[in-house]
Amino acid sequence: MKKNANCKIWLNGRIVPDSKAKVSIWDRGFLYGDGVYETVRVYNGRIFRSEGHWKRLRHSLAGLRIAYQASDAQITRACLDTARANGIKEGLVRITVTRGEGEVGYDPSTCGKPTVVVLALPVRGDLTELWRGGVKIALVKVRRNHPGALNPAIKHTNCLNGILAKIESLKSKAFEGVFLNLDGYLAEGTISNIFVVKGSLVKTPALDCGILDGVTRGATIEVARKLGYTVNETRIRPFELYGADEAFLTSTTMEVMPIVQVDRKKIGTGFPGRVTAHLQEHLKNLIRKELKF
Ligand code: PMP
């Protein structure tokens, strides 16, 4: 998401120019990364699977014990109002909820109301070429946070684990960095979930591998099962990725993105595979069907 000149921001219930959208230096989001967020995709002025995103937002808020009283309808309205204020029908909307202002120190009881910020940005760049040609990923050395320490199932604003992985993957010019968990199994990308395909068997790391329960992951599993593929949510060793016929990433921003190379190793033929293309097409159909465009 790239900052737009003169964009409008939803800040604590008011839409203001970004030059006026200021958050206190006492805000826990700034001081400690003490907050949560969601990024949704707006297609034709509507949000794909908002209910899944708001459910996860509530799960993240509960995980950090942040009290934010807003209904799903209010959150959706804030997001769509922000998109509309920026003239965006095709774009990304991010809602961030921090624990708000408090005293320095970790005790959350000094905090008042949460700070809520909604940003809306147009879709940047055309992914068509990458969808067609696939991307290279890097298996990074830094491991995914252990769920017993900082659970990746909580979409919190403390993103250093992902930032370290991104820095590492950029060194090899990879499109995405993919983590292993502490047990050496595949976990997820910095902003995506991962799938591998062998024959017609589709596999993806189980949620208890310590990952985010991706909305697109869920929709893709649904689509794959409807099309008759067996999908196993399981433990996957890196050698299974290197030896896969096909592999792909899923996320709100990239939908189904084929992986054609992992580090120096080509995956399958080195071109996006048939199963991946099939799922890519049918996820697009599902989005169009649900959002009626
Ligand atoms: N894993 C991580 C770490 C992410 O940040 C994201 C992006 N939200 C995903 C997976 C994909 O989730 P979704 O399909 O809900 O965008």
Side-chain angles (χ1 to χ4, degrees):
M1 290 173 100
K2 199 172 188 177
K3 183 176 174 294
N4 239 12
N6 308 318
C7 63
K8 302 274 196 305
I9 310 291
W10 191 102
L11 174 63
N12 296 325
R14 290 181 44 227
I15 291 183
V16 294
D18 84 325
S19 58
K20 295 264 157 58
K22 305 285 183 213
V23 174
S24 164
I25 56 112
W26 304 108
D27 195 281
R28 301 270 293 210
F30 171 70
L31 289 173
Y32 304 124
D34 188 3
V36 303
Y37 73 105
E38 276 297 319
T39 302
V40 295
R41 175 73 161 82
V42 174
Y43 297 89
N44 196 32
R46 302 182 61 192
I47 299 170
F48 179 61
R49 299 249 161 140
S50 59
E51 65 293 344
H53 283 281
W54 305 155
K55 187 171 166 211
R56 191 170 67 191
L57 181 68
R58 289 184 200 292
H59 175 261
S60 300
L61 288 162
L64 298 190
R65 310 220 180 7
I66 295 176
Y68 173 50
Q69 317 295 347
S71 67
D72 284 10
Q74 285 169 322
I75 300 172
T76 298
R77 194 168 328 120
C79 289
L80 292 182
D81 285 352
T82 312
R84 235 172 273 126
N86 287 284
I88 289 168
K89 277 186 96 180
E90 298 297 321
L92 295 166
V93 177
R94 174 179 154 140
I95 176 166
T96 307
V97 183
T98 78
R99 204 183 297 277
E101 288 181 48
E103 288 175 18
V104 171
Y106 290 165
D107 180 357
S109 69
T110 64
C111 297
K113 280 200 312 205
T115 301
V116 187
V117 178
V118 184
L119 313 172
L121 299 162
V123 172
R124 190 159 48 111
D126 185 0
L127 290 178
T128 312
E129 284 305 305
L130 296 178
W131 280 327
R132 256 189 232 135
V135 297
K136 169 183 156 181
I137 62 161
L139 276 190
V140 295
K141 290 206 174 62
V142 60
R143 297 295 173 104
R144 192 59 172 139
N145 286 328
H146 190 278
L150 190 54
N151 194 347
I154 298 174
K155 200 163 166 58
H156 49 73
T157 56
N158 198 316
C159 299
L160 287 174
N161 192 212
I163 291 167
L164 289 175
K166 187 72 191 174
I167 291 170
E168 217 185 302
S169 62
L170 285 172
K171 278 193 200 142
S172 56
K173 299 198 168 55
F175 176 80
E176 171 67 309
V178 170
F179 292 105
L180 303 182
N181 65 18
L182 284 175
D183 297 325
Y185 293 100
L186 284 186
E188 60 183 337
T190 64
I191 57 157
S192 60
N193 292 109
I194 185 161
F195 288 71
V196 298
V197 181
K198 194 80 183 170
S200 61
L201 176 64
V202 179
K203 293 212 255 180
T204 192
L207 296 179
D208 67 6
C209 290
I211 59 171
L212 188 74
D213 184 0
V215 172
T216 323
R217 173 187 181 277
T220 305
I221 292 173
E222 237 177 83
V223 164
R225 289 191 175 139
K226 258 208 188 120
L227 291 170
Y229 295 104
T230 301
V231 182
N232 285 350
E233 297 177 63
T234 182
R235 294 186 198 307
I236 305 171
R237 288 281 186 200
F239 77 83
E240 293 183 72
L241 169 63
Y242 289 118
D245 295 332
E246 305 179 25
F248 60 89
L249 303 168
T250 63
S251 82
T252 292
T253 47
M254 48 181 117
E255 300 176 6
V256 170
M257 179 61 79
I259 297 169
V260 292
Q261 189 176 334
V262 180
D263 301 322
R264 299 228 168 114
K265 170 89 176 59
K266 291 227 181 320
I267 298 303
T269 59
F271 295 96
R274 270 192 312 124
V275 177
T276 304
H278 199 197
L279 298 179
Q280 198 178 46
E281 181 196 338
H282 282 265
L283 178 68
K284 281 192 185 297
N285 291 346
L286 175 80
I287 295 168
R288 275 191 219 110
K289 194 170 139 214
E290 286 188 11
L291 300 183
K292 303 186 177 73
F293 67 96

